[in-house]
């Protein structure tokens, strides 16, 4: 029984070792292929973005004078701080 168990453990360790070595080789091969392809492949040309067709400008919503003044002051304060 012990002889059978010893052979089973040896087979298990050999199988796990083989899988581990194979995965290590696979990781290195993938990394090398990635570097080779990035050097040999031409850089991608970005396609220009399509702009949507021009539409008529919507009517601006009416803003009461107090709100408009508060927005103007906030913009002026922001611009004075971020010059």
């Amino acid at each position: 029984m012990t002889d059978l168990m010893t052979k089973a453990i040896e087979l298990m360790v050999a199988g796990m070792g083989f899988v581990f070595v194979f995965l290590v080789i696979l990781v290195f091969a993938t990394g090398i292929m990635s570097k080779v392809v990035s050097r040999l492949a031409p850089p991608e040309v970005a396609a220009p973005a399509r702009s949507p067709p021009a539409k008529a400008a919507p009517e601006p919503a009416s803003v009461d004078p107090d709100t408009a003044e508060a927005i103007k002051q906030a913009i002026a304060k922001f611009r004075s701080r971020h010059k």
Side-chain angles (χ1 to χ4, degrees), residues 25-41:
I25 292 170
L26 185 65
V27 167
F28 283 114
T30 305
I32 291 170
M33 286 190 315
S34 175
K35 289 178 183 177
V36 168
V37 168
S38 67
R39 287 184 182 161
L40 296 179

Side-chain angles (χ1 to χ4, degrees), residues 71-81:
I71 291 171
K72 288 178 187 176
Q73 288 178 2
I75 291 172
K77 190 172 188 178
F78 178 82
R79 287 182 177 166
S80 68
R81 286 185 180 177

Side-chain angles (χ1 to χ4, degrees), residues 60-69 71:
S62 63
V63 178
D64 66 284
D66 291 337
T67 304
E69 187 60 33
I71 291 171

Side-chain angles (χ1 to χ4, degrees), residues 3 5 9 12 16 18-19 21 36-37 46 52 58 61 64 69 76-77 82:
D3 188 41
M5 192 66 117
I9 291 174
M12 179 187 69
M16 292 175 70
F18 178 76
V19 170
V21 169
V36 168
V37 168
D64 66 284
E69 187 60 33
K77 190 172 188 178
H82 294 88

